[in-house]
């Protein structure tokens, strides 16, 4: 039996509620078969760690994670700590430290979810957004001078490298190639950003020649927001820069019903380091400790984790349980217009996993 070592980093806010729920569901899944087991190690990094130690995670924290098979991450963000400290000190330190350069965010309308696009069917909104996750607008290049004086100046420089753009374009084209529609949209802003984004466009053309069976187009990021709302069926796989995809993927999650259901994978495609999987909803301190958090985003992230580990059958089993639960409006949490609690949704998923284990999986 294979034992997978999974690092669990709840982080802040509702991450402390949904990550234990994710562990519970994965344990329930492992109990239904004898192919694999999980060895979870929890790391109490985040805002509380910062208050005690002055940093969001230990300096040697990456070494502690390096031997893990995957990471399940909750959220980074604390009401009493500036956002740039919580983000750069924990989540981005892991993403960049392990070169998890492909951030993958699937989006579709799950059964029973009432999306805000009333003329859109679930078949018309089935996207995956690929976010460049290692450079671009979040490179951390820049600085501030003359702070507090009238001549104060600050810069944030978007850094793009040919190597970085080529590898994310190739990843996105390959992903589009694997999907039924073989359709890719390259998001840009080269009409206004005439250096790095023009290189981005040029590299897209060059890489596209390696994938003659993929149909692709180019869309300005502002126009893409309108296209997501007005013509959702025209999109399938989308690739965008770190900032652009960050924004577009939140819009995508909202159009699919709620940020609470949306998953993310921070992937090292070369598998040199552990990849990290997380819900996108953030720390949501306004509902922390009330049992109101929607754990579906964490469970769907666990599906991606299983797929990454090569456990496709188990991933399908978990996804089937998720869809069964979302189809039941009595099990919707508050963000979906219901009254169910985190614990109730988690228990329902575990019950569905046990039930589906006794049934043949759909192809």
């Amino acid at each position: 039996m294979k034992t997978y070592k999974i690092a669990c980093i709840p982080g802040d806010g509702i991450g402390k509620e949904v990550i234990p729920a994710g562990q519970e569901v994965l344990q329930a899944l492992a109990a239904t078969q004898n192919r694999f087991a999980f060895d979870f190690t929890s790391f109490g990094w985040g805002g509380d760690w910062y208050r005690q130690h002055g940093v969001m995670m230990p300096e040697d924290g990456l070494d502690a994670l390096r031997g893990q098979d995957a990471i399940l991450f909750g959220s980074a963000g604390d009401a009493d700590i500036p956002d740039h400290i919580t983000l750069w000190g924990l989540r981005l330190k892991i993403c960049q430290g392990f070169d998890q350069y492909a951030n993958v965010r699937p989006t579709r309308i799950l059964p029973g979810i009432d999306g805000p696009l009333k003329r859109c069917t679930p078949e018309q909104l089935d996207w995956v957004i690929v976010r460049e996750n290692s450079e671009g607008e979040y490179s951390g290049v820049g600085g501030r001078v003359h702070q507090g004086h009238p001549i104060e100046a600050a810069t944030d420089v978007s850094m793009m490298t040919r190597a970085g753009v080529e590898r994310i374009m190739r990843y996105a084209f390959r992903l589009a190639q694997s999907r039924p529609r073989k359709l890719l949209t390259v998001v840009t802003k080269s009409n206004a950003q005439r250096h790095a984004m023009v290189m981005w466009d040029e590299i897209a053309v060059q890489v596209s020649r390696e994938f003659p069976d993929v149909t692709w187009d180019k869309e300005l990021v502002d126009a893409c927001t309108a296209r997501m709302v007005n013509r959702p069926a025209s999109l399938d796989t989308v690739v965008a820069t770190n900032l652009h995809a960050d924004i577009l993927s939140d819009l995508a999650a909202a159009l699919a019903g709620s940020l609470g259901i949306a998953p993310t994978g921070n992937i090292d495609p070369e598998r040199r380091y552990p990849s990290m999987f997380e819900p996108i909803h953030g720390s949501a301190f306004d509902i922390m400790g009330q049992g109101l958090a929607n754990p579906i985003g964490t469970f769907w992230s666990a599906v991606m984790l299983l797929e990454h580990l090569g456990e496709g059958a188990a991933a399908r089993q978990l996804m089937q349980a998720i869809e069964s639960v979302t189809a039941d409006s009595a099990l919707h949490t508050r963000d979906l217009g219901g009254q169910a609690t985190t614990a109730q949704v988690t228990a329902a998923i575990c019950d569905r996993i046990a039930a589906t284990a006794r049934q043949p999986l759909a192809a």
Side-chain angles (χ1 to χ4, degrees):
M1 179 185 293
K2 171 70 174 177
T3 298
Y4 293 110
K5 295 187 291 183
I6 309 298
C8 294
I9 308 175
D12 303 315
I14 61 172
K16 298 176 182 179
E17 299 167 60
V18 297
I19 295 306
Q23 291 179 240
E24 184 179 344
V25 163
L26 285 172
Q27 290 283 39
L29 185 66
T32 65
Q33 44 71 57
N34 57 7
R35 278 181 38 79
F36 62 83
F38 294 107
D39 177 13
F40 295 108
T41 303
S42 294
F43 295 88
W45 304 335
D48 292 339
W49 186 273
Y50 181 87
R51 275 181 279 274
Q52 295 178 30
H53 304 282
V55 291
M56 293 291 290
M57 64 181 285
E59 290 302 316
D60 61 352
L62 292 179
D63 292 333
L65 299 175
R66 201 176 303 273
Q68 303 290 314
D69 292 302
I71 303 165
L72 192 61
F73 184 84
S75 63
D78 189 293
D80 299 320
I81 304 171
D83 288 342
H84 68 279
I85 291 177
T86 59
L87 182 65
W88 281 94
L90 185 57
R91 184 186 174 277
L92 289 185
K93 185 172 181 178
I94 296 170
C95 289
Q96 295 190 351
F98 285 153
D99 200 19
Q100 298 165 345
Y101 66 83
N103 178 275
V104 181
R105 298 191 173 192
T107 303
R108 59 187 175 91
I109 301 176
L110 296 178
I113 303 296
D114 183 23
L117 295 182
K118 301 306 179 186
R119 293 174 295 170
C120 177
T121 66
E123 294 74 26
Q124 292 174 318
L125 201 164
D126 185 356
W127 306 328
V128 58
I129 296 176
V130 177
R131 170 184 174 184
E132 200 294 311
N133 207 38
S134 64
E135 51 182 39
E137 303 89 348
Y138 296 173
S139 298
V141 177
R144 293 175 65 182
V145 295
H146 308 303
Q147 292 188 42
H149 296 280
I151 58 171
E152 181 174 355
T155 61
D156 274 295
V157 180
S158 176
M159 294 290 293
M160 294 190 192
T161 65
R162 172 166 288 274
V165 177
E166 281 187 354
R167 67 183 185 177
I168 199 63
M169 286 293 176
R170 198 164 282 115
Y171 184 92
F173 271 95
R174 192 174 294 117
L175 180 59
Q177 188 181 52
S178 72
R179 287 168 61 84
R181 296 176 66 189
K182 299 185 187 300
L183 176 64
L184 176 67
T185 297
V186 176
V187 174
T188 186
K189 194 57 183 171
S190 52
N191 60 339
Q193 296 173 289
R194 57 184 182 164
H195 302 297
M197 291 306 308
V198 170
M199 183 182 76
W200 170 275
D201 292 351
E202 292 171 353
I203 292 174
V205 173
Q206 294 162 13
V207 173
S208 72
R209 299 185 184 120
E210 303 172 21
F211 301 88
D213 57 334
V214 174
T215 301
W216 74 285
D217 64 356
K218 183 175 73 172
E219 189 76 84
L220 296 176
V221 62
D222 43 335
C224 193
T225 61
R227 181 172 166 183
M228 290 169 69
V229 174
N230 295 329
R231 295 187 294 128
S234 71
L235 295 167
D236 185 85
T237 307
V238 177
V239 62
T241 69
N242 216 329
L243 176 61
H244 292 166
D246 189 6
I247 296 167
L248 291 177
S249 57
D250 276 15
L251 172 59
L255 294 176
S258 170
L259 267 67
I261 63 175
T264 305
N266 300 287
I267 309 296
D268 167 27
E270 285 74 42
R271 298 176 181 267
R272 300 157 296 172
Y273 310 104
S275 293
M276 183 166 68
F277 302 86
E278 60 175 319
I280 75 168
H281 51 55
S283 53
F285 269 86
D286 56 323
I287 61 170
M288 177 185 176
Q290 301 175 49
L292 301 176
N294 190 341
I296 293 296
T298 297
F299 302 156
W300 197 349
S301 298
V303 171
M304 299 181 71
L305 182 153
L306 290 164
E307 291 171 340
H308 185 73
L309 294 177
E311 299 293 345
R316 291 191 296 273
Q317 184 181 349
L318 178 52
M319 198 69 216
Q320 184 177 333
I322 291 170
E323 292 179 345
S324 175
V325 166
T326 62
D328 185 350
S329 61
L331 291 170
H332 287 183
T333 45
R334 192 173 70 177
D335 58 305
L336 296 173
Q339 298 297 322
T341 65
T342 310
Q344 288 170 337
V345 175
T346 303
I349 292 285
C350 292
D351 289 343
R352 299 304 200 278
I353 288 172
T356 57
R358 298 187 290 269
Q359 302 169 359
L361 287 173

